[in-house]
Amino acid sequence: TQLLEQSPQFLSIQEGENLTVYCNSSSVFSSLQWYRQEPGEGPVLLVTVVTGGEVKKLKRLTFQFGDARKDSSLHITAAQPGDTGLYLCAGTNAGKSTFGDGTTLTVKP
Amino acid sequence: DTGVSQDPRHKITKRGQNVTFRCDPISEHNRLYWYRQTLGQGPEFLTYFQNEAQLEKSRLLSDRFSAERPKGSFSTLEIQRTEQGDSAMYLCASSTRTGTAYEQYFGPGTRLTVT
């Protein structure tokens, strides 16, 4: 069974602060995705990382895939209230994904 | 917008009734997935199709659950003899290969409440 652990489970910060959330596994994945989910809606794909050590940037969000392709991190710079949501990581092999339980981020104005 | 759509968005049913949900994937995507998500958890894999073929079904899925994708386009998920433990958000996703990776795009989900 491929398990993904996300930490922290909950994070509450003030607008303008920086933060990092983590996604860890003992399994190797061919790719890893990060999603953001709003209450009552489906997850929205943010990024896919494929290569060990890969870093991708999406505006104020920076995603990194671990060298061994077992873990990943998401760093948000100068968080805004609009960043509030559930951040999910998913490890994928052969097109099938295993999801972590997410980090619930609250950014207070 | 040609994203993944799901119908209905909400369903309230009494225990013991059957329910059926529909998912329309992104048109050019050949893979379609069903997940279940409960509060505080990430999506849990149920089953997936490549075109009309059901390639894998979770061992956690009881025989009260069945999914079809008859023409390789839309899919249905049926739950027979619903139980209160079936209350959850049911998510559908579709994907196609992008480079070396499959990226899944989710629909808005169907929220099932079993009373």
Side-chain angles (χ1 to χ4, degrees):
Chain A
T1 303
Q2 298 175 329
L3 295 175
L4 279 164
E5 293 190 1
Q6 292 191 243
S7 60
Q9 187 177 359
F10 298 98
L11 185 58
S12 180
I13 61 171
Q14 292 294 135
E15 181 176 2
E17 294 183 358
N18 302 333
L19 65 114
T20 302
V21 298
Y22 301 92
C23 173
N24 295 295
S25 176
S26 58
S27 301
V28 176
F29 296 104
S30 59
S31 67
L32 188 140
Q33 286 76 35
W34 283 93
Y35 294 82
R36 180 166 161 265
Q37 186 176 24
E38 304 260 5
E41 300 293 331
V44 175
L45 179 66
L46 296 175
V47 78
T48 294
V49 285
V50 176
T51 306
E54 182 177 4
V55 176
K56 279 193 174 179
K57 292 190 175 183
L58 186 66
K59 296 183 181 178
R60 294 176 293 100
L61 278 60
T62 301
F63 305 86
Q64 184 162 7
F65 202 13
D67 291 342
R69 291 186 288 129
K70 294 182 179 182
D71 53 76
S72 182
S73 63
L74 160 58
H75 181 80
I76 302 179
T77 303
Q80 299 176 0
D83 296 326
T84 293
L86 176 66
Y87 288 82
L88 293 161
C89 67
T92 300
N93 283 318
K96 182 185 165 188
S97 296
T98 302
F99 282 80
D101 287 335
T103 293
T104 299
L105 173 65
T106 303
V107 182
K108 300 175 184 176
Chain B
D1 184 85
T2 57
V4 179
S5 62
Q6 292 187 245
D7 183 69
R9 292 293 310 274
H10 304 275
K11 179 70 176 178
I12 300 174
T13 191
K14 292 185 178 180
R15 188 177 52 188
Q17 298 294 304
N18 299 343
V19 294
T20 299
F21 309 141
R22 176 178 170 126
C23 171
D24 286 271
I26 295 171
S27 58
E28 62 268 26
H29 285 185
N30 57 1
R31 287 196 173 188
L32 186 149
Y33 306 77
W34 285 99
Y35 293 86
R36 177 172 59 193
Q37 186 178 27
T38 53
L39 195 63
Q41 306 287 320
E44 174 189 27
F45 170 78
L46 295 179
T47 187
Y48 87 100
F49 295 83
Q50 178 151 316
N51 300 315
E52 66 275 9
Q54 188 172 17
L55 296 188
E56 189 171 340
K57 191 174 174 180
S58 169
R59 290 174 294 145
L60 302 175
L61 208 60
S62 80
D63 56 8
R64 296 184 298 105
F65 288 71
S66 62
E68 294 183 342
R69 194 183 183 197
K71 296 182 180 178
S73 56
F74 74 92
S75 176
T76 58
L77 177 69
E78 180 183 17
I79 309 174
Q80 296 182 328
R81 305 181 303 281
T82 53
E83 302 173 355
Q84 287 188 321
D86 297 331
S87 295
M89 174 77 91
Y90 289 84
L91 294 163
C92 174
S94 69
S95 76
T96 191
R97 195 177 183 111
T98 304
T100 58
Y102 282 90
E103 294 184 330
Q104 295 184 28
Y105 294 85
F106 282 82
T110 294
R111 168 73 65 189
L112 173 65
T113 302
V114 182
T115 62

